[in-house]
Amino acid sequence: MADTGNRQSVYLSFFFFDSLLQRLPDITIGQTTSGQNFGNLLEMGIARGLRTLVCEHHLDFTVSAKGDQGDDRAPSFRITDYWPYATPPTRPSDPGEAQVYRALGRGHLIQPDVVIWRNRKMEFMRVENGETVPITVSTPQLFACISGKATIRSDRSQSSRYEGNALMRWRRARPPHIMVVTAEPSPSRLGSLAWGLGDLDCVYHVNLAALYHAFRQVEEEIGRRTVARDVGSSEELKDLIEHARVKDISQLFDDLFSEFLKQSP
């Protein structure tokens, strides 16, 4: 998770890991071969954790990660296979419209790492012989798109924001939840996504308490001004937390499913 070219980032990641071990003494420690592998493990961990909680609460949702091997529970990770982006069943032979939405699904910006969806019966209207006729069909509805970003280091990490913006613009109904989960330690980089304009619901950190504690330690060791110049300040991180722009991953499940938990027996 550290930017190895930045000494403050390395210190911060070390103290974060130390703080994490104090909070989770039974944690299993492993070694990943690359940053890309770390990202794959993160997205699969997000999906596995949410899937477990969905099953425990008997919620009728499917959680799928791109990194899952042999997972056939989702129709695909192509956005246009889900409502509100799929072409309605009332217009199956509209090649122009279908072409636009196929292009949206193939776009490299519209590739969420984790999708949450459910089958729903929905009513659509068709015009036949000068009359409007309702039809009811079962269709997969996209409930949430989650991007797993091990770090926030380049323009590619900003694809989550562009993706969210496109999902807002192209929807035919209420948009899905659009979220980012990251292990990025730098407040300034967290803020580059979290201080958004409505294209993301929220940014979640893998352990916010450990990060804030680590940041205070680094400021004491190196100096507040030096750290702030290179990776941001604890005040910036405090603002992100208190404005609910960055949350802990433990809040993710409730933020997604609280309305359904109230309905469950």
Side-chain angles (χ1 to χ4, degrees):
M1 60 185 285
D3 180 352
T4 54
N6 184 315
R7 186 181 67 163
Q8 284 71 33
S9 178
V10 174
Y11 273 119
L12 181 55
S13 299
F14 173 82
F15 280 114
F16 171 80
F17 190 61
D18 183 64
S19 182
L20 194 64
L21 290 175
Q22 293 178 35
R23 286 169 166 73
L24 304 169
D26 297 327
I27 196 172
T28 299
I29 302 174
Q31 184 172 358
T32 183
T33 55
S34 67
Q36 180 62 45
N37 189 44
F38 179 24
N40 292 337
L41 290 171
L42 176 62
E43 68 188 52
M44 288 189 288
I46 295 164
R48 185 169 57 248
L50 287 174
R51 194 179 296 137
T52 298
L53 290 168
V54 164
C55 290
E56 286 178 0
H57 290 85
H58 308 290
L59 299 175
D60 189 22
F61 288 89
T62 298
V63 183
S64 302
K66 276 196 303 187
D68 291 337
Q69 297 298 316
D71 186 353
D72 58 357
R73 286 168 294 185
S76 77
F77 281 82
R78 197 173 64 176
I79 295 299
T80 52
D81 284 342
Y82 300 89
W83 185 258
Y85 306 99
T87 301
T90 50
R91 301 297 298 247
S93 59
D94 190 336
E97 189 171 276
Q99 182 179 0
V100 170
Y101 281 87
R102 279 200 301 270
L104 171 67
R106 284 200 305 265
H108 71 281
L109 297 178
I110 313 297
Q111 295 179 355
D113 299 314
V114 177
V115 294
I116 304 175
W117 62 280
R118 59 176 172 165
N119 281 315
R120 289 193 65 194
K121 286 187 176 180
M122 302 184 66
E123 186 177 278
F124 296 88
M125 300 297 292
R126 173 181 290 157
V127 177
E128 293 182 356
N129 301 320
E131 299 289 339
T132 57
V133 179
I135 62 170
T136 301
V137 298
S138 178
T139 186
Q141 181 188 44
L142 188 60
F143 180 72
C145 297
I146 302 174
S147 292
K149 300 294 184 186
T151 60
I152 301 172
R153 289 246 159 84
S154 67
D155 290 342
R156 290 189 64 192
S157 68
Q158 297 295 321
S159 66
S160 300
R161 172 168 288 172
Y162 302 133
E163 176 182 306
N165 185 269
L167 290 173
M168 290 290 183
R169 285 175 28 235
W170 285 92
R171 61 194 169 96
R172 299 178 190 264
R174 178 179 176 179
H177 292 284
I178 307 164
M179 298 158 163
V180 173
V181 176
T182 185
E184 172 61 50
S186 166
S188 60
R189 286 171 173 166
L190 286 170
S192 72
L193 281 184
W195 294 116
L197 297 173
D199 33 29
L200 297 174
D201 287 14
C202 191
V203 175
Y204 294 82
H205 196 272
V206 295
N207 198 300
L208 202 51
L211 179 63
Y212 188 75
H213 183 260
F215 215 94
R216 296 300 299 270
Q217 285 185 289
V218 172
E219 287 183 332
E220 291 176 8
E221 292 279 339
I222 300 178
R224 183 181 295 266
R225 294 179 66 179
T226 301
V227 176
R229 182 189 64 220
D230 291 337
V231 293
S233 69
S234 59
E235 282 300 311
E236 184 175 1
L237 182 57
K238 176 175 174 286
D239 284 343
L240 288 167
I241 295 169
E242 292 186 342
H243 282 278
R245 294 290 189 172
V246 176
K247 296 184 178 181
D248 188 78
I249 195 173
S250 62
Q251 300 173 272
L252 176 59
F253 178 77
D254 282 344
D255 284 353
L256 282 169
F257 297 107
S258 59
E259 62 180 297
F260 301 98
L261 296 177
K262 294 175 184 177
Q263 300 171 10
S264 61

